[in-house]
Amino acid sequence: MIRLLTTTAVFAVGLLLAPAIYAQTSQPNAPSPAAAAKDTLSQEDRTFIKEAAIGSMAEVELSKLAQKSENADVKSFADHMIQDHTAVNQQLTAIATDLGVGMPKALDTEHERLRENVQTLHGKAFDEQYMHGMVEDHDKAVNLFQREERSGHNAELKQFAQKILPTLQEHQKNALELSHKVSQAAAR
């Protein structure tokens, strides 16, 4: 009888402790879904996020400077860039956050140098340099987004690139046209 009670007591204690023991031993350091996504994100996709974010951030910062332009077309273009690229940055930030990837907080050296250079200019010289920078940046952005659309690994980033690409191509076309217009006016 004592043996039966002891066996039953040990069995009961085992049943009570089993969930606690199992909870401690089942994947103690399982990664969160965001960390798992970050670990599986290709280097190309990470580079896309970084370069797209910096390019878009630069367009907003440079365009804020362009609001001082005396040229109504340049000002209008700058306003459009601020609006569109702020929205692009918000969308990209949401995707990057879901994937567990941090966004750049500052411009890269190339864009910082351009910003510092443009900041010191005025009048037609400012307009020419700003528009030249917009043409170059949009050429790079279109290439970057086309590359992600074609060969990116993450479906959400590919879809984002595909969605934004027509807007960037329109910006590229408008920047080139306005750059020519500004250069011709400066040559007079």
Side-chain angles (χ1 to χ4, degrees):
M1 179 73 177
I2 293 181
R3 188 184 231 187
L4 180 62
L5 283 174
T6 306
T7 304
T8 305
V10 168
F11 182 74
V13 170
L15 286 176
L16 291 173
L17 292 177
I21 292 169
Y22 179 76
Q24 291 175 0
T25 60
S26 65
Q27 301 180 344
N29 294 320
S32 67
K38 184 177 178 182
D39 291 342
T40 62
L41 201 62
S42 72
Q43 187 57 48
E44 292 86 359
D45 288 337
R46 291 173 193 272
T47 299
F48 170 75
I49 290 172
K50 178 183 173 194
E51 290 180 9
I54 288 173
S56 207
M57 201 175 5
E59 308 238 352
V60 170
E61 286 194 31
L62 292 170
S63 296
K64 285 179 180 177
L65 295 175
Q67 291 178 325
K68 73 178 183 180
S69 175
E70 296 171 10
N71 183 317
D73 291 335
V74 171
K75 275 183 160 178
S76 177
F77 180 84
D79 289 342
H80 201 74
M81 294 304 99
I82 291 168
Q83 180 181 356
D84 288 356
H85 285 280
T86 297
V88 166
N89 275 337
Q90 289 170 344
Q91 292 174 41
L92 185 58
T93 299
I95 293 169
T97 300
D98 286 348
L99 295 173
V101 177
M103 291 286 282
K105 302 288 186 226
L107 298 178
D108 59 0
T109 307
E110 173 190 350
H111 287 101
E112 184 61 37
R113 199 173 311 128
L114 177 60
R115 187 179 65 75
E116 288 172 3
N117 180 37
V118 169
Q119 204 167 14
T120 64
L121 301 174
H122 302 283
K124 291 179 180 181
F126 172 86
D127 294 341
E128 276 190 288
Q129 189 63 43
Y130 167 71
M131 290 312 305
H132 179 74
M134 289 295 102
V135 169
E136 283 187 356
D137 257 20
H138 281 94
D139 287 346
K140 290 176 185 176
V142 165
N143 288 331
L144 176 69
F145 277 69
Q146 285 174 334
R147 192 170 55 242
E148 181 66 22
E149 181 184 39
R150 274 191 318 270
S151 59
H153 296 93
N154 180 277
E156 191 173 9
L157 288 173
K158 285 179 77 154
Q159 185 179 20
F160 170 75
Q162 185 177 28
K163 176 183 167 191
I164 300 300
L165 187 57
T167 301
L168 294 175
Q169 290 168 326
E170 184 67 22
H171 290 175
Q172 181 186 38
K173 177 181 164 255
N174 293 342
L176 189 57
E177 289 171 0
L178 187 52
S179 180
H180 288 307
K181 186 177 175 182
V182 166
S183 293
Q184 289 172 349
R188 292 183 203 153

